[in-house]
Amino acid sequence: MAKDEAVVAEYGAAPSGLWSRIVKKLEVEGNTGNSNRDLDPVPPEQRVWNWWNYISYWISDNFTPSGWRKAASLMAIGMSWKVALVNVAISEVLIAAVITINGYVGAKYHISFTIQSRASFGYYFSILMISMRMIVGTFWYGISTYTGAECIRSMIYAMSPSFRNVPNALPKSANIDTQFMISYFVYFVSILPLHFVPIHRIRFLFTLKAIVTPIIGFGIMGWTIANTSVGEQSLWSQGNTVHGSELGWVFMNGVYANMGGWATLAVNAPDFTRYAISPRHTYTMAIALPLTATLITFFGVVGAAGSKVLFGKILWDPLLFIDNWTSPGGRAAAFFCALGFYLAQACANISANSISAANDLNAMFPRFVNIRRGQFIIAFVGAWALTPWNILTSASAFLSFMSGYSVWLAPICGIMICDFFFVHGQKYDVWELYNKNGIYRYNKWGTNWRSFVAFFLGWVPLFPGFLPTVNKSVSLPVGWRNLYYLGYFYGFGAAALSYWVLCYFWPAKETMLERGVYPDDELLVARDIEEEGGSLGDSSEKKSA
């Protein structure tokens, strides 16, 4: 079939006139209808991330105001600072293992999570999983923008103390004042240029941030220790406020919450590991994540303990901490600390939320959305359409919901890891993953019924325990609550095990390969220079011809 005839057969007759020109203008360059250059396997020249880039990536995600505050929530539910640090270390080691293992498929086949998910869920059922990941990424983009605005506000306070006295011209019902709206707008506009930078190049920004932010963290901690005897303060010497079996379940609740915070990245780890030079370069993530997370949590404990002596109140937020440095020298130090946290928050928001959610949009609308366009869509929807300042007025219920989102994300991750390592033995046909009528379609609905069943077995038993976290009026037996505290382990394990059992007794034989089919590097280079390419299914035929 001729190329033009194939296009007509796939999409129908091309529209004519003005509408045709509008549609053509909206299409991304190099799209094939089912894919585009950002959705394709990463070409060799873009596989440039090495072991240090993945270390700096996790420093970027952890050395943020959110990471600094991590111990606060754990101590609030009854742990001492020592137990809280142990809790963070254990949970981060466990989730780092999941991220590293799931990221291996991206490093090996150079494909994103959105493409990987088709192998286990089916070509069309995977869209539901992708949508769930995109929703949570968009919400977190807005919340992280709010935190970034706090960094800008602290920088302005340091440069111009009179900014603290700017009168509020917004009504109370707006849930945001004039000072913060100005800061919010400045932050949003300032990071927009970062959305233009391709992910294989933005690693240099992570390196800069990985150098600057630890210096800031050690500086704040050193200054605090030098100016107060934090060892004698009640926060520093506070023991556990719960004991026995209750402490055990509180500890598990903390592990679940901390793992849930990274549940989205555990699912879409291939989105950034696909840029690895070699799979072995991604193994450093297993060490970098727990080490940096535990260290920044310790900084937060020291700062909170010292703030009680220095300022008369416990401050878990490092930005509120440095806002108290009001001398000329103190304001200069506060500015550079806030600038470092601004850089940290911007990097984290781009890597963890913007690029990931843009990848999801890219997979759903490959004809019109690439990663760059997707990032701008996510930015405006997350930062403005969702109005995070209104969401955070009920922060307790909302943040509980977002942390509890791992009820659904853990089964997704468990199924994908099980499918790659145990069901398919690490053997995928890359080009069939792009073929909507290929072996990974499974049936006419594009759904792998085995993953459909396993997914529901993974999250349905946890749902009753999830409800009281967002609606305090719901009362359930303690057993349901305790099962929910084991949520990530149950959701991941139950879904993975049930999926393996179903595939063992009812295998999808058409997807079982003797050897994996990897990206054809020469083909990718050829597609990159074509003005208009054929479908990936056609490309696969060319490769095997």
Side-chain angles (χ1 to χ4, degrees), residues 256 263 267 405-415 462 487-493 495:
Y256 172 70
V267 167
Y405 211 81
S406 57
V407 164
W408 294 278
L409 297 178
I412 294 174
C413 195
I415 289 170
L462 297 174
Y488 200 93
F489 302 102
Y490 171 83
F492 183 99

Side-chain angles (χ1 to χ4, degrees), residues 520-542:
D520 187 312
D521 293 343
E522 293 182 0
L523 175 61
L524 289 174
V525 172
R527 287 192 75 240
D528 196 45
I529 63 175
E530 288 180 352
E531 291 183 359
E532 292 181 338
S535 70
L536 284 174
D538 295 336
S539 300
S540 182
E541 292 174 6
K542 294 175 186 176

Side-chain angles (χ1 to χ4, degrees), residues 192-376:
L192 284 181
L194 295 179
H195 297 318
F196 282 99
V197 184
I199 188 173
H200 65 281
R201 293 178 180 171
I202 204 170
R203 69 190 192 281
F204 297 114
L205 187 59
F206 296 149
T207 299
L208 173 63
K209 189 257 181 178
I211 296 171
V212 172
T213 50
I215 294 174
I216 292 173
F218 279 108
I220 294 177
M221 184 180 69
W223 181 86
T224 302
I225 293 174
N227 284 275
T228 182
S229 178
V230 296
E232 298 177 359
Q233 300 310 308
S234 59
L235 176 67
W236 198 250
S237 59
Q238 174 183 313
N240 300 316
T241 57
V242 294
H243 304 279
S245 61
E246 184 180 358
L247 175 61
W249 287 112
V250 165
F251 189 90
M252 288 307 304
N253 184 21
V255 170
Y256 172 70
N258 282 321
M259 294 183 70
W262 297 116
T264 50
L265 276 171
V267 167
N268 70 278
D271 285 354
F272 50 90
T273 59
R274 65 177 176 148
Y275 295 92
I277 297 172
S278 167
R280 69 176 182 272
H281 287 287
T282 66
Y283 300 160
T284 55
M285 297 192 300
I287 300 174
L289 171 54
L291 181 62
T292 55
T294 306
L295 182 61
I296 192 67
T297 302
F298 179 70
F299 289 168
V301 172
V302 173
S307 66
K308 178 66 175 176
V309 178
L310 295 167
F311 313 122
K313 54 186 175 181
I314 296 176
L315 299 174
W316 284 105
D317 191 324
L319 297 168
L320 296 178
F321 187 100
I322 63 176
D323 284 346
N324 285 276
W325 297 349
T326 55
S327 67
R331 288 194 290 112
F335 175 84
F336 286 107
C337 287
L339 178 62
F341 282 122
Y342 160 84
L343 179 62
Q345 196 63 34
C347 286
N349 209 9
I350 294 294
S351 61
N353 302 315
S354 174
I355 290 176
S356 300
N359 265 313
D360 300 334
L361 270 179
N362 183 23
M364 290 188 285
F365 308 102
R367 190 180 177 190
F368 300 103
V369 179
N370 55 19
I371 291 179
R372 179 176 292 174
R373 288 187 185 181
Q375 285 194 80
F376 282 102

Side-chain angles (χ1 to χ4, degrees), residues 28 153 181 373 539:
V28 297
R153 183 176 61 182
M181 179 58 78
R373 288 187 185 181
S539 300

